[in-house]
Amino acid sequence: MPMMTADQYEASLRALNLEVYMFGKRVTNVVDDPIIRPSMNAVAKTYELAHDPAYADLMTARSHLSGKRINRFTHIHQSTDDLVKKSKMGRLLGRKTGCCFQRCVGMDALNALSIITYNIDQKHETHYNERFKRYLATVQEKDLVCDGAMTDPKGDRSLPPHRQPDPDHYLRIVEKREDGIVVRGAKAHQTGAVNSHEVIVMPTIAMGEADRDYAVSFALPSDARGIIYILGRQSCDTRKLEGGAMDQGNMLFGGHEALVVFDDVFVPWDRVFMCGEYEFAGSLVEMFAAYHRQSYACKVGVGDVLIGAAQLAAEYNGAARASHVKDKLIEMNHLNETLYCGCLACATEGKKKLSGTYAVNTLLANIHKQNVTRFPYEIARLAQDIAGGLMVTLPSQKDLDGDATGKWVQKYFKAQPGIPTADRMRILRLIENLTLGTAAVGYLTESMHGAGSPQAQRIMIGRKINMAEKKTAAMRLCGIDVKSE
Ligand code: SF4
Ligand code: FE
């Protein structure tokens, strides 16, 4: 059966030879590194739940290539039902992990490439789609995690790729050989990069003819020679090194991002999916972005965790019955379920593309992600309001456990009878983690900038809205001659 267990996934990562750096030093044991490990645990959850009969319908699908049951993260959507299940899977995993579980970017890259390689072939009589399908068959059969790598460092934002003072600020082809291409550049903010078996590179913006060398898409094993990973820092990350697991808030899971450098890396032709067809760079970006904006169903699941934590914080200190607290919790739920509506709507309004893949409704996916740039911030504000200042003034677990301090921490942070002080501290630490700590990267900043910053969605909304239809509707109702428009 082509589905790895969580243990097999961990073992498969140990077999990789990644060049990873953090705090200026090479990380030799990536899987067991205490800063990275929680992010591996989060990806492992995507394997674990796929083997749980209770979640099989959401977490697995039947491959349209092999007919075998596969992990949904490697699946090409064959119906709107598949798209809906993808949204539900994202919420489920967000709720189970309370963080970014990282595997969606690869799924979204695979689906976008299944459509765009087909379209390129139609115009140029190339064979990218067959090539891509062979690659996809391997990903499905081996149940791999793919890092979907789109965002270039971008240098001077006012200039296109070919006019950058440093030509490597967008990833590019530096050599074409008989057996493949050599690429140079970098991809920034790469979610889950060092938990991935593969990296799938795509261009990051629409391009013109002069940018031809930058219009490139390919896949490589994540430990291919010349790929270097530099881990990003997260707020409060070194709490994972200090002992006192309670202080981490989320004691099990986390996410990570990395700068991925391609230092003249060779890509064989059978792994190249776009090579100079610059006029398709924009549509690949749009297609990937629409899928990935739908993927922000994950934040609904993380929102479930934060709402639950806020409710518990109120119950633990005796404030849960106050009408304003109840109302704040209703508002949090209203916002969170509104997000859920968006990621379901873009899925149910999905359409079949020429390649046979189902794509989400682009307008609604962008509307959904635009809401995601806002609502989690308001949900987080309300959670902090309910939690109170103790969330950020609380002593450490070591003080709770300390000989001289323990009795005072126990005594003065006790609230509702029957609720252990330690439990009250745990829930406040979880709210801190989700709104200010490592998980705030995923719940807040990633909600803002992941899958494109807010303005990127507004541009798409402007492009996709049918304004003529709206004007006609207004003109008809008030007697203006529609033909005059
Ligand atoms: Fe998936 Fe959400 Fe993480 Fe993006 S932010 S990779 S959609 S879990
Ligand atoms: Fe993301």
Side-chain angles (χ1 to χ4, degrees):
M1 189 167 67
M3 288 205 304
M4 277 199 274
T5 63
D7 287 345
Q8 287 168 335
Y9 166 61
E10 181 177 335
S12 71
L13 289 184
R14 288 186 195 283
L16 297 175
N17 181 25
L18 303 177
E19 189 175 344
V20 180
Y21 296 89
M22 187 169 46
F23 301 132
K25 291 198 185 107
R26 176 100 188 241
V27 180
T28 47
N29 181 349
V30 177
V31 174
D32 295 314
D33 184 276
I35 299 258
I36 300 170
R37 174 94 197 172
S39 70
M40 196 283 293
N41 291 341
V43 183
K45 206 73 182 163
T46 70
Y47 287 93
E48 184 195 313
L49 293 191
H51 289 274
D52 185 333
Y55 303 117
D57 189 43
L58 288 190
M59 295 297 306
T60 69
R62 198 159 291 285
S63 166
H64 72 297
L65 295 180
S66 68
K68 293 180 188 166
R69 191 134 288 274
I70 53 171
N71 193 300
R72 187 171 296 281
F73 281 98
T74 67
H75 184 52
I76 299 299
H77 315 300
Q78 299 298 304
S79 62
T80 53
D81 188 50
D82 273 344
L83 292 168
V84 168
K85 283 179 177 160
K86 177 195 162 190
S87 288
K88 292 186 174 183
M89 175 175 75
R91 183 174 192 172
L92 172 72
L93 279 159
R95 194 189 302 137
K96 291 277 184 191
T97 61
C99 68
C100 165
F101 41 86
Q102 307 143 58
R103 205 174 169 185
C104 335
V105 270
M107 166 177 57
D108 296 334
L110 292 171
N111 275 276
L113 279 168
S114 78
I115 294 168
I116 303 302
T117 52
Y118 184 93
N119 293 351
I120 298 175
D121 291 349
Q122 295 302 301
K123 178 168 180 202
H124 290 284
E125 295 181 8
T126 41
H127 301 282
Y128 289 121
N129 192 248
E130 279 310 311
R131 206 182 261 179
F132 169 76
K133 281 200 270 190
R134 280 197 294 276
Y135 172 72
L136 174 69
T138 307
V139 170
Q140 292 186 341
E141 187 60 33
K142 295 187 173 175
D143 197 6
L144 301 177
V145 175
C146 302
D147 166 24
M150 179 164 277
T151 311
D152 294 83
K154 298 201 284 275
D156 182 340
R157 280 10 179 215
S158 69
L159 300 172
H162 71 278
R163 290 188 52 217
Q164 291 290 329
D166 183 336
D168 302 337
H169 276 171
Y170 285 79
L171 189 142
R172 65 193 175 118
I173 303 162
V174 289
E175 192 188 343
K176 274 190 193 162
R177 296 175 11 188
E178 219 166 84
D179 50 352
I181 56 176
V182 178
V183 296
R184 183 188 303 160
K187 293 289 178 179
H189 325 297
Q190 288 309 297
T191 296
V194 309
N195 292 328
S196 302
H197 306 100
E198 291 277 323
V199 53
I200 303 175
V201 166
M202 297 162 284
T204 198
I205 51 167
M207 291 179 183
E209 192 169 357
D211 298 318
R212 190 182 281 276
D213 290 342
Y214 295 85
V216 62
S217 178
F218 57 85
L220 279 172
S222 53
D223 58 356
R225 197 153 165 226
I227 303 184
I228 298 149
Y229 301 85
I230 306 170
L231 258 283
R233 290 214 65 169
Q234 296 181 331
S235 168
C236 308
D237 50 6
T238 47
R239 284 195 193 182
K240 293 173 190 156
L241 306 175
E242 292 169 0
M246 181 198 289
D247 292 349
Q248 293 172 35
N250 186 336
M251 293 163 67
L252 302 174
F253 302 109
H256 79 244
E257 274 76 29
L259 174 69
V260 184
V261 177
F262 294 79
D263 185 19
D264 288 2
V265 183
F266 174 69
V267 190
W269 282 119
D270 63 346
R271 283 171 160 272
V272 177
F273 309 129
M274 173 190 281
C275 185
E277 293 84 4
Y278 61 89
E279 71 276 35
F280 288 92
S283 51
L284 179 53
V285 174
E286 261 181 41
M287 192 57 68
F288 171 79
Y291 278 129
H292 202 43
R293 288 167 193 173
Q294 175 206 9
S295 285
Y296 274 63
C298 64
K299 304 308 176 208
V300 184
V302 182
D304 289 331
V305 175
L306 185 54
I307 292 168
Q311 174 72 37
L312 285 166
E315 289 175 9
Y316 287 180
N317 70 9
R321 289 214 200 94
S323 61
H324 73 97
V325 170
K326 282 189 196 163
D327 193 55
K328 282 166 188 156
L329 283 154
I330 286 169
E331 176 67 7
M332 292 164 84
N333 279 298
H334 165 71
L335 293 168
N336 205 43
E337 299 303 332
T338 303
L339 293 181
Y340 192 45
C341 295
C343 62
L344 286 180
C346 68
T348 56
E349 293 283 303
K351 288 271 173 334
K352 191 176 185 175
K353 295 291 181 183
L354 290 174
S355 67
T357 306
Y358 272 72
V360 288
N361 178 298
T362 306
L363 173 62
L364 295 181
N366 279 276
I367 299 283
H368 168 59
K369 175 66 203 344
Q370 180 81 177
N371 287 339
V372 171
T373 66
R374 299 174 183 172
F375 296 179
Y377 283 86
E378 180 60 8
I379 294 170
R381 189 185 73 79
L382 291 166
Q384 290 194 352
D385 181 346
I386 292 169
L390 191 56
M391 180 189 79
V392 290
T393 62
L394 202 57
S396 67
Q397 184 179 346
K398 284 182 180 157
D399 292 309
L400 177 70
D401 298 337
D403 290 339
T405 48
K407 66 179 177 188
W408 303 120
V409 175
Q410 285 283 1
K411 177 181 167 72
Y412 287 112
F413 294 128
K414 179 89 184 157
Q416 278 285 84
I419 303 296
T421 302
D423 286 358
R424 188 170 175 226
M425 291 173 74
R426 282 176 202 280
I427 214 71
L428 293 173
R429 285 290 177 219
L430 180 59
I431 296 172
E432 181 199 31
N433 175 252
L434 284 162
T435 63
L436 293 167
T438 52
V441 175
Y443 189 57
L444 297 179
T445 318
E446 201 171 35
S447 288
M448 175 79 82
H449 293 294
S453 303
Q455 191 56 24
Q457 289 114 56
R458 298 186 82 76
I459 290 167
M460 285 307 295
I461 292 166
R463 259 194 232 155
K464 293 288 171 184
I465 284 288
N466 187 344
M467 200 56 92
E469 185 181 75
K470 294 177 201 303
K471 285 199 294 182
T472 304
M475 290 163 83
R476 285 219 164 96
L477 288 178
C478 64
I480 299 173
D481 181 5
V482 172
K483 279 189 250 118
S484 73
E485 227 281 292

